[in-house]
mmCIF file with all atom_site columns, all heavy atoms in Angstrom:
data_model
loop_
_atom_site.group_PDB
_atom_site.id
_atom_site.type_symbol
_atom_site.label_atom_id
_atom_site.label_alt_id
_atom_site.label_comp_id
_atom_site.label_asym_id
_atom_site.label_entity_id
_atom_site.label_seq_id
_atom_site.pdbx_PDB_ins_code
_atom_site.Cartn_x
_atom_site.Cartn_y
_atom_site.Cartn_z
_atom_site.occupancy
_atom_site.B_iso_or_equiv
_atom_site.pdbx_formal_charge
_atom_site.auth_seq_id
_atom_site.auth_comp_id
_atom_site.auth_asym_id
_atom_site.auth_atom_id
_atom_site.pdbx_PDB_model_num
ATOM 1  N N   . GLY H 1 133 ? 118.215 132.796 128.733 1.00 95.00 ? 133 GLY H N   1
ATOM 2  C CA  . GLY H 1 133 ? 117.572 133.958 128.119 1.00 95.00 ? 133 GLY H CA  1
ATOM 3  C C   . GLY H 1 133 ? 116.459 133.513 127.191 1.00 95.00 ? 133 GLY H C   1
ATOM 4  O O   . GLY H 1 133 ? 116.336 132.328 126.873 1.00 95.00 ? 133 GLY H O   1
ATOM 5  N N   . LYS H 1 134 ? 115.636 134.468 126.769 1.00 95.00 ? 134 LYS H N   1
ATOM 6  C CA  . LYS H 1 134 ? 114.560 134.139 125.825 1.00 95.00 ? 134 LYS H CA  1
ATOM 7  C C   . LYS H 1 134 ? 114.744 134.925 124.533 1.00 95.00 ? 134 LYS H C   1
ATOM 8  O O   . LYS H 1 134 ? 115.205 136.079 124.546 1.00 95.00 ? 134 LYS H O   1
ATOM 9  C CB  . LYS H 1 134 ? 113.188 134.418 126.432 1.00 95.00 ? 134 LYS H CB  1
ATOM 10 C CG  . LYS H 1 134 ? 112.851 135.885 126.644 1.00 95.00 ? 134 LYS H CG  1
ATOM 11 C CD  . LYS H 1 134 ? 111.423 136.048 127.153 1.00 95.00 ? 134 LYS H CD  1
ATOM 12 C CE  . LYS H 1 134 ? 111.065 137.521 127.342 1.00 95.00 ? 134 LYS H CE  1
ATOM 13 N NZ  . LYS H 1 134 ? 109.674 137.696 127.810 1.00 95.00 ? 134 LYS H NZ  1
ATOM 14 N N   . LEU H 1 135 ? 114.404 134.284 123.430 1.00 96.00 ? 135 LEU H N   1
ATOM 15 C CA  . LEU H 1 135 ? 114.499 134.946 122.137 1.00 96.00 ? 135 LEU H CA  1
ATOM 16 C C   . LEU H 1 135 ? 113.450 136.050 122.057 1.00 96.00 ? 135 LEU H C   1
ATOM 17 O O   . LEU H 1 135 ? 112.295 135.865 122.466 1.00 96.00 ? 135 LEU H O   1
ATOM 18 C CB  . LEU H 1 135 ? 114.310 133.932 121.010 1.00 96.00 ? 135 LEU H CB  1
ATOM 19 C CG  . LEU H 1 135 ? 115.476 132.940 120.839 1.00 96.00 ? 135 LEU H CG  1
ATOM 20 C CD1 . LEU H 1 135 ? 115.095 131.794 119.929 1.00 96.00 ? 135 LEU H CD1 1
ATOM 21 C CD2 . LEU H 1 135 ? 116.706 133.660 120.304 1.00 96.00 ? 135 LEU H CD2 1
ATOM 22 N N   . SER H 1 136 ? 113.840 137.204 121.527 1.00 94.00 ? 136 SER H N   1
ATOM 23 C CA  . SER H 1 136 ? 113.029 138.420 121.641 1.00 94.00 ? 136 SER H CA  1
ATOM 24 C C   . SER H 1 136 ? 111.704 138.362 120.893 1.00 94.00 ? 136 SER H C   1
ATOM 25 O O   . SER H 1 136 ? 110.699 138.914 121.362 1.00 94.00 ? 136 SER H O   1
ATOM 26 C CB  . SER H 1 136 ? 113.841 139.628 121.150 1.00 94.00 ? 136 SER H CB  1
ATOM 27 O OG  . SER H 1 136 ? 114.267 139.418 119.806 1.00 94.00 ? 136 SER H OG  1
ATOM 28 N N   . LYS H 1 137 ? 111.640 137.716 119.735 1.00 92.00 ? 137 LYS H N   1
ATOM 29 C CA  . LYS H 1 137 ? 110.397 137.697 118.959 1.00 92.00 ? 137 LYS H CA  1
ATOM 30 C C   . LYS H 1 137 ? 109.445 136.592 119.393 1.00 92.00 ? 137 LYS H C   1
ATOM 31 O O   . LYS H 1 137 ? 108.254 136.825 119.583 1.00 92.00 ? 137 LYS H O   1
ATOM 32 C CB  . LYS H 1 137 ? 110.710 137.532 117.463 1.00 92.00 ? 137 LYS H CB  1
ATOM 33 C CG  . LYS H 1 137 ? 111.248 138.777 116.799 1.00 92.00 ? 137 LYS H CG  1
ATOM 34 C CD  . LYS H 1 137 ? 111.221 138.679 115.287 1.00 92.00 ? 137 LYS H CD  1
ATOM 35 C CE  . LYS H 1 137 ? 112.153 137.612 114.746 1.00 92.00 ? 137 LYS H CE  1
ATOM 36 N NZ  . LYS H 1 137 ? 112.206 137.604 113.271 1.00 92.00 ? 137 LYS H NZ  1
ATOM 37 N N   . CYS H 1 138 ? 109.955 135.370 119.533 1.00 94.00 ? 138 CYS H N   1
ATOM 38 C CA  . CYS H 1 138 ? 109.068 134.237 119.806 1.00 94.00 ? 138 CYS H CA  1
ATOM 39 C C   . CYS H 1 138 ? 108.959 133.897 121.289 1.00 94.00 ? 138 CYS H C   1
ATOM 40 O O   . CYS H 1 138 ? 108.020 133.221 121.704 1.00 94.00 ? 138 CYS H O   1
ATOM 41 C CB  . CYS H 1 138 ? 109.531 133.005 119.037 1.00 94.00 ? 138 CYS H CB  1
ATOM 42 S SG  . CYS H 1 138 ? 111.167 132.400 119.509 1.00 94.00 ? 138 CYS H SG  1
ATOM 43 N N   . GLY H 1 139 ? 109.934 134.333 122.096 1.00 95.00 ? 139 GLY H N   1
ATOM 44 C CA  . GLY H 1 139 ? 109.863 134.127 123.531 1.00 95.00 ? 139 GLY H CA  1
ATOM 45 C C   . GLY H 1 139 ? 110.307 132.766 124.027 1.00 95.00 ? 139 GLY H C   1
ATOM 46 O O   . GLY H 1 139 ? 110.182 132.475 125.223 1.00 95.00 ? 139 GLY H O   1
ATOM 47 N N   . HIS H 1 140 ? 110.826 131.909 123.161 1.00 96.00 ? 140 HIS H N   1
ATOM 48 C CA  . HIS H 1 140 ? 111.293 130.600 123.621 1.00 96.00 ? 140 HIS H CA  1
ATOM 49 C C   . HIS H 1 140 ? 112.602 130.748 124.406 1.00 96.00 ? 140 HIS H C   1
ATOM 50 O O   . HIS H 1 140 ? 113.455 131.579 124.067 1.00 96.00 ? 140 HIS H O   1
ATOM 51 C CB  . HIS H 1 140 ? 111.472 129.651 122.435 1.00 96.00 ? 140 HIS H CB  1
ATOM 52 C CG  . HIS H 1 140 ? 110.156 129.207 121.852 1.00 96.00 ? 140 HIS H CG  1
ATOM 53 N ND1 . HIS H 1 140 ? 109.713 129.605 120.609 1.00 96.00 ? 140 HIS H ND1 1
ATOM 54 C CD2 . HIS H 1 140 ? 109.188 128.416 122.372 1.00 96.00 ? 140 HIS H CD2 1
ATOM 55 C CE1 . HIS H 1 140 ? 108.526 129.072 120.371 1.00 96.00 ? 140 HIS H CE1 1
ATOM 56 N NE2 . HIS H 1 140 ? 108.178 128.347 121.423 1.00 96.00 ? 140 HIS H NE2 1
ATOM 57 N N   . ILE H 1 141 ? 112.734 129.934 125.457 1.00 96.00 ? 141 ILE H N   1
ATOM 58 C CA  . ILE H 1 141 ? 113.816 130.104 126.423 1.00 96.00 ? 141 ILE H CA  1
ATOM 59 C C   . ILE H 1 141 ? 114.843 128.975 126.305 1.00 96.00 ? 141 ILE H C   1
ATOM 60 O O   . ILE H 1 141 ? 114.474 127.796 126.191 1.00 96.00 ? 141 ILE H O   1
ATOM 61 C CB  . ILE H 1 141 ? 113.238 130.141 127.857 1.00 96.00 ? 141 ILE H CB  1
ATOM 62 C CG1 . ILE H 1 141 ? 112.220 131.297 127.969 1.00 96.00 ? 141 ILE H CG1 1
ATOM 63 C CG2 . ILE H 1 141 ? 114.328 130.294 128.895 1.00 96.00 ? 141 ILE H CG2 1
ATOM 64 C CD1 . ILE H 1 141 ? 111.480 131.325 129.291 1.00 96.00 ? 141 ILE H CD1 1
ATOM 65 N N   . TYR H 1 142 ? 116.129 129.350 126.370 1.00 96.00 ? 142 TYR H N   1
ATOM 66 C CA  . TYR H 1 142 ? 117.225 128.385 126.254 1.00 96.00 ? 142 TYR H CA  1
ATOM 67 C C   . TYR H 1 142 ? 118.399 128.827 127.121 1.00 96.00 ? 142 TYR H C   1
ATOM 68 O O   . TYR H 1 142 ? 118.483 129.993 127.522 1.00 96.00 ? 142 TYR H O   1
ATOM 69 C CB  . TYR H 1 142 ? 117.720 128.280 124.793 1.00 96.00 ? 142 TYR H CB  1
ATOM 70 C CG  . TYR H 1 142 ? 116.641 127.991 123.796 1.00 96.00 ? 142 TYR H CG  1
ATOM 71 C CD1 . TYR H 1 142 ? 116.039 129.022 123.089 1.00 96.00 ? 142 TYR H CD1 1
ATOM 72 C CD2 . TYR H 1 142 ? 116.213 126.687 123.557 1.00 96.00 ? 142 TYR H CD2 1
ATOM 73 C CE1 . TYR H 1 142 ? 115.040 128.774 122.159 1.00 96.00 ? 142 TYR H CE1 1
ATOM 74 C CE2 . TYR H 1 142 ? 115.215 126.425 122.636 1.00 96.00 ? 142 TYR H CE2 1
ATOM 75 C CZ  . TYR H 1 142 ? 114.638 127.462 121.942 1.00 96.00 ? 142 TYR H CZ  1
ATOM 76 O OH  . TYR H 1 142 ? 113.647 127.210 121.037 1.00 96.00 ? 142 TYR H OH  1
ATOM 77 N N   . HIS H 1 143 ? 119.313 127.882 127.362 1.00 94.00 ? 143 HIS H N   1
ATOM 78 C CA  . HIS H 1 143 ? 120.624 128.267 127.894 1.00 94.00 ? 143 HIS H CA  1
ATOM 79 C C   . HIS H 1 143 ? 121.352 129.049 126.797 1.00 94.00 ? 143 HIS H C   1
ATOM 80 O O   . HIS H 1 143 ? 121.349 128.643 125.635 1.00 94.00 ? 143 HIS H O   1
ATOM 81 C CB  . HIS H 1 143 ? 121.470 127.030 128.239 1.00 94.00 ? 143 HIS H CB  1
ATOM 82 C CG  . HIS H 1 143 ? 120.934 126.211 129.374 1.00 94.00 ? 143 HIS H CG  1
ATOM 83 N ND1 . HIS H 1 143 ? 120.435 124.938 129.190 1.00 94.00 ? 143 HIS H ND1 1
ATOM 84 C CD2 . HIS H 1 143 ? 120.847 126.482 130.707 1.00 94.00 ? 143 HIS H CD2 1
ATOM 85 C CE1 . HIS H 1 143 ? 120.065 124.455 130.359 1.00 94.00 ? 143 HIS H CE1 1
ATOM 86 N NE2 . HIS H 1 143 ? 120.292 125.361 131.300 1.00 94.00 ? 143 HIS H NE2 1
#
Side-chain angles (χ1 to χ4, degrees):
K134 69 176 181 179
L135 290 167
S136 58
K137 285 194 294 185
C138 63
H140 288 111
I141 302 174
Y142 307 96
H143 293 112

